[in-house]
Amino acid sequence: MIFIGHTKFSVYAPVSGAWKATNGSRFKTQGDYKKYLFSDSRLNPRIDILVNYSLPQLATAAKGHDITHLISYSEFLPHKYEEKLIESQKQYSFLKLEKQNRGSHPITLESVAKEKLLGSGDPLQPFGIFRLDDDDILPADYFDQNSPYIKQEFVGMQVSLGTGVSAIYKDGRFFNARKTYHPMLNIGYTSIHQFSAAGEMTKLPIAGHNVADRTYPVILDSRKLGYLWTRHPSQDTALGLVESDEATLIATLKRHMDRHPPIHDMDELHEAFPVLRNNITNAESPDSTRQELIVVATDLEGKGLRLKPKPVSGKIKLTTTMNCDMSSEVRNSLISFIFVDAQGLRIDPASLDSHFENQPISRSGNPRIGWFRYLSTKQGKNRTVTQFTLPDGVYVGVATIIKWRRQETKIVVTSVSIESMPSTSD
């Protein structure tokens, strides 16, 4: 299957009204805009994401398909960034570079497609055209997901992969990974085309991606992860925020992302984006070890909810959220812990009495409970944060949430997360 992609890597377009960087709302002169466009603070994260994540992912996705990906960049792009693009072109045979000079006409996607189709032996076959920003990433099965729709009967339509991931990028790592649902998001949005016998290509969409379905039929397929939408302080879309320092900008981005749930199934994320396996977390900080322990909201019944985190030790933060019905009362639920050693063998609860003497968990006289903490169970929504420190060589092996007292109460556990917190010195 043939696909033509296009990425604009900091193309100099001072008269464009498409972005806050160019529509006059932020920069009053072309000189200010140009200085911003080619600044290291703006380009460093983009070149890192493009070269070290996005292009390797495209290479994986391209297996079994015929791909050409055009990267356009300005003649004003600093040499060190141009060199990285040239090095990437040598590495990936599907990559085509276009240096846009003043007064020259840019390469059209139609001309790239025509050259590709003429060399394919079947110049009339349908093909896909997609666009990708320089700081976003497509999944390893992106072309596989789109291929079923690259057919004659779908020519003139577009394909939107509506489900994806949004994450914040900082210093080579991605964090705060959230699962998003954005039909007709521009990332990887594919249009289906074909050349006529006379050599004319079906028209490219002219409507904005978010309203494209009012002009062209859109095929929506949201069964799998279809994109990774990167958020970072140096994005053009962040220019509209009033915050000036990086920390405040990141905090604002987090608030904007809060309407989306954290990624629970990290295996699903790693399968879709293998290049990110050791460089992405669903935690609020890139250095956090937070694990989401449940995938969906779960009714608390019977013997309770038994959770087995990956080995976690040191200073622990465990966050539980739940919904309780009108019959709930104080101390209607608790979380108990089984602590283990490095070999996974259970540690006698009584042996930890002195260590936990001044910490917010208690040891029950009931041997079925052991060390525990009551959870907030007022009527409605509840959130309980439990923090304690484990001695060296001791780990949380099992955490179990059960009802206590009124068993008829309906309690729904909506999320459970556990993480090791950084140690702080006095």
Side-chain angles (χ1 to χ4, degrees), residues 325-364:
D325 72 8
M326 298 293 289
S327 67
S328 187
E329 59 181 34
V330 175
R331 296 186 173 183
N332 213 153
S333 177
L334 61 81
I335 184 167
S336 64
F337 304 96
I338 294 176
F339 299 117
V340 299
D341 61 19
Q343 286 73 46
L345 300 177
R346 184 170 181 168
I347 293 173
D348 178 11
S351 69
L352 299 172
D353 283 351
S354 61
H355 179 81
F356 287 130
E357 187 174 357
N358 296 310
Q359 298 202 54
I361 61 174
S362 305
R363 184 165 66 88
S364 170

Side-chain angles (χ1 to χ4, degrees), residues 101-392:
N101 298 304
R102 286 168 292 181
S104 64
H105 295 288
I107 296 174
T108 66
L109 291 177
E110 181 174 357
S111 66
V112 175
K114 182 171 289 187
E115 180 182 353
K116 188 78 173 178
L117 269 291
L118 285 174
S120 71
D122 184 7
L124 302 185
Q125 66 175 298
F127 59 94
I129 288 181
F130 68 97
R131 287 181 171 83
L132 178 64
D133 284 350
D134 53 21
D135 52 3
D136 293 320
I137 306 172
L138 297 177
D141 62 351
Y142 170 76
F143 300 113
D144 290 341
Q145 290 193 58
N146 279 279
S147 288
Y149 309 112
I150 310 300
K151 296 180 180 178
Q152 171 71 46
E153 56 265 38
F154 299 129
V155 170
M157 300 185 184
Q158 294 180 274
V159 182
S160 170
L161 305 180
T163 300
V165 178
S166 182
I168 299 175
Y169 168 90
K170 185 178 185 298
D171 298 332
R173 300 201 64 196
F174 297 80
F175 64 99
N176 202 51
R178 302 256 166 175
K179 194 164 190 176
T180 62
Y181 177 66
H182 277 288
M184 300 189 297
L185 189 67
N186 198 38
I187 304 170
Y189 208 4
T190 297
S191 53
I192 307 164
H193 300 272
Q194 188 177 33
F195 282 100
S196 69
E200 295 180 349
M201 191 183 87
T202 50
K203 292 182 179 179
L204 286 164
I206 56 174
H209 64 88
N210 57 327
V211 293
D213 59 336
R214 304 175 197 180
T215 307
Y216 300 87
V218 174
I219 300 166
L220 180 61
D221 189 342
S222 304
R223 293 173 294 175
K224 302 181 69 177
L225 298 180
Y227 58 83
L228 190 140
W229 178 12
T230 303
R231 314 297 299 273
H232 55 86
S234 61
Q235 280 175 315
D236 297 342
T237 50
L239 292 176
L241 302 176
V242 297
E243 294 82 355
S244 56
D245 64 283
E246 184 181 76
T248 310
L249 278 167
I250 288 177
T252 302
L253 288 175
K254 286 180 181 177
R255 287 196 296 273
H256 287 179
M257 297 166 69
D258 277 350
R259 67 183 184 276
H260 303 295
I263 283 281
H264 295 299
D265 190 346
M266 294 302 289
D267 289 337
E268 177 191 26
L269 189 153
H270 293 153
E271 182 179 358
F273 303 96
V275 74
L276 295 176
R277 183 171 293 274
N278 297 315
N279 289 290
I280 190 166
T281 176
N282 56 11
E284 296 179 359
S285 156
D287 299 319
S288 174
T289 60
R290 189 174 76 183
Q291 305 170 51
E292 297 290 339
L293 299 183
I294 66 171
V295 177
V296 296
T298 304
D299 287 346
L300 197 57
E301 298 175 339
K303 295 182 179 180
L305 183 60
R306 184 179 172 89
L307 305 167
K308 295 188 69 174
K310 295 176 183 178
V312 59
S313 63
K315 185 177 181 181
I316 305 299
K317 177 182 177 182
L318 191 141
T319 305
T320 307
T321 62
M322 56 175 58
N323 293 330
C324 302
D325 72 8
M326 298 293 289
S327 67
S328 187
E329 59 181 34
V330 175
R331 296 186 173 183
N332 213 153
S333 177
L334 61 81
I335 184 167
S336 64
F337 304 96
I338 294 176
F339 299 117
V340 299
D341 61 19
Q343 286 73 46
L345 300 177
R346 184 170 181 168
I347 293 173
D348 178 11
S351 69
L352 299 172
D353 283 351
S354 61
H355 179 81
F356 287 130
E357 187 174 357
N358 296 310
Q359 298 202 54
I361 61 174
S362 305
R363 184 165 66 88
S364 170
N366 185 335
R368 293 190 304 109
I369 302 299
W371 289 98
F372 77 100
R373 162 76 186 271
Y374 284 112
L375 299 175
S376 176
T377 52
K378 67 180 185 294
Q379 298 169 11
K381 296 181 179 180
N382 295 268
R383 181 174 184 267
T384 306
V385 177
T386 305
Q387 296 192 60
F388 54 88
T389 301
L390 291 170
D392 291 343

